[in-house]
């Protein structure tokens, strides 16, 4: 729980506040953009949520990986806990409960008629795992790269999922994962999901394209509000940025309408707009 004694002076007065333990992971900025913003290198409440925005502010509170967001009174947090995972659209859910070990990266749950997927991992919360059990559990756990494993293994103890990670990103703790993917060629897991290896951010980064519509990108690709187009984390590239540019070009061969990144808000556009934005991203990377 956030500490009221450590409340940042940059917060606007009211029920919600951010304390000084914020690590500036950015999760609250996109989960509740009207309420939280970056102010002097950490998050602060810049506008207390109106009734319509209150649930999003509570989702941000729950997403915060280091419990830096608090409320002074009238907590409706238990109601919002019941509503997680949060459905973005058509069986695609944002898990919430971001983990500090992945620097607050987002994870997603895909509810399907047959096998359900989880993409990357939230921190382990027993109550949340029970909610996923109610939704049918997790058969396949798809990891975008080694930095966003978080509490995958604790969820595996509940679901016994088949865990996917690229062999080039496999570390000691993932060597016994059920599927160590190899090579740079794309392949299908089933008729709805394609694995696209995208080395660059890390050597073993992959994107997952679901239903030719939803692209789960880990830390390979995100959307920049400032640039107003898709972009890559140039200052947080741990393997090779030139190789990441080549991987970005591979994505031009695919149609998708939704980018769901590890960091930053999920972004939806038409397929044509998405392709144009991807081309701008590549030009920006090359320059
Ligand atoms: S989610 Fe928490 S740690 Fe991340 S920016 Fe917001 S307050 Fe800071």
């Amino acid at each position: 729980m956030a500490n009221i004694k450590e409340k940042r002076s940059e917060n606007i007065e009211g029920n919600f506040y951010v304390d000084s333990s914020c690590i500036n992971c950015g999760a609250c900025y996109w989960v509740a953009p009207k309420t939280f913003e970056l102010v002097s290198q950490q998050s602060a409440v810049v506008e207390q949520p109106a009734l319509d925005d209150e649930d999003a502010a509570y989702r941000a509170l729950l997403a915060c990986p280091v419990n830096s967001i608090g409320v002074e009174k009238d907590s409706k947090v238990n109601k919002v806990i019941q509503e997680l995972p949060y459905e973005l659209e058509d069986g695609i859910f944002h898990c919430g409960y971001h983990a500090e070990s992945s620097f607050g990266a987002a994870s997603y749950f895909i509810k399907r008629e047959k096998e359900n997927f989880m993409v990357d991992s939230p921190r382990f919360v027993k109550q949340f795992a029970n909610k996923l059990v109610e939704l049918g559990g997790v058969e396949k756990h798809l990891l975008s790269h080694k930095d966003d494993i978080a509490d995958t293994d604790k969820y595996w103890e509940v679901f016994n999922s088949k865990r996917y990670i690229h062999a080039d990103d496999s570390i000691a703790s993932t060597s016994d994962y059920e599927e160590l993917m190899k090579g740079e060629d794309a392949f299908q897991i089933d008729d709805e999901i394609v694995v696209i290896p995208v080395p660059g951010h890390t050597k073993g980064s992959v994107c997952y394209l679901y239903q030719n519509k939803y692209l789960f990108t880990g830390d390979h690709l995100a959307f920049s509000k400032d640039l107003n187009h898709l972009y890559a984390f140039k200052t947080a590239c741990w393997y090779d940025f030139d190789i990441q540019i080549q991987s970005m070009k591979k994505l031009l061969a695919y149609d998708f309408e939704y980018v769901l990144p590890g960091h930053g808000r999920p972004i939806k556009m038409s397929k044509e707009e998405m392709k144009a934005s991807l081309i701008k991203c590549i030009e920006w990377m090359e320059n």
Side-chain angles (χ1 to χ4, degrees), residues 34-53:
K34 289 189 185 164
T35 303
F36 302 97
E37 275 183 25
L38 174 64
V39 184
S40 305
Q41 306 189 9
Q42 288 178 307
S43 174
V45 174
V46 293
E47 187 180 319
Q48 291 293 334
L51 211 52
D52 282 0
D53 304 318

Side-chain angles (χ1 to χ4, degrees), residues 18 22-29 43 64-66 68-69:
V18 179
C22 166
I23 58 171
N24 193 27
C25 75
C28 60
Y29 308 147
S43 174
C64 179
V66 288
S68 301
I69 301 174

Side-chain angles (χ1 to χ4, degrees), residues 45-116:
V45 174
V46 293
E47 187 180 319
Q48 291 293 334
L51 211 52
D52 282 0
D53 304 318
E54 211 175 43
D55 283 5
Y58 279 108
R59 284 198 297 279
L61 180 152
L62 293 164
C64 179
V66 288
N67 294 320
S68 301
I69 301 174
V71 283
E72 296 194 17
K73 57 184 166 85
D74 295 333
S75 177
K76 294 179 188 162
V77 73
N78 285 331
K79 168 189 166 289
V80 177
I81 285 173
Q82 297 308 319
E83 293 165 1
L84 292 179
Y86 177 69
E87 190 163 23
L88 299 169
E89 66 167 55
D90 293 343
I92 308 292
F93 296 79
H94 170 218
C95 292
Y97 298 115
H98 297 211
E100 186 177 8
S101 60
S102 61
F103 195 59
S107 57
Y108 302 94
F109 174 73
I110 306 174
K111 173 93 182 90
R112 308 167 78 210
E113 279 186 17
K114 20 180 189 170
E115 297 180 319
N116 298 334

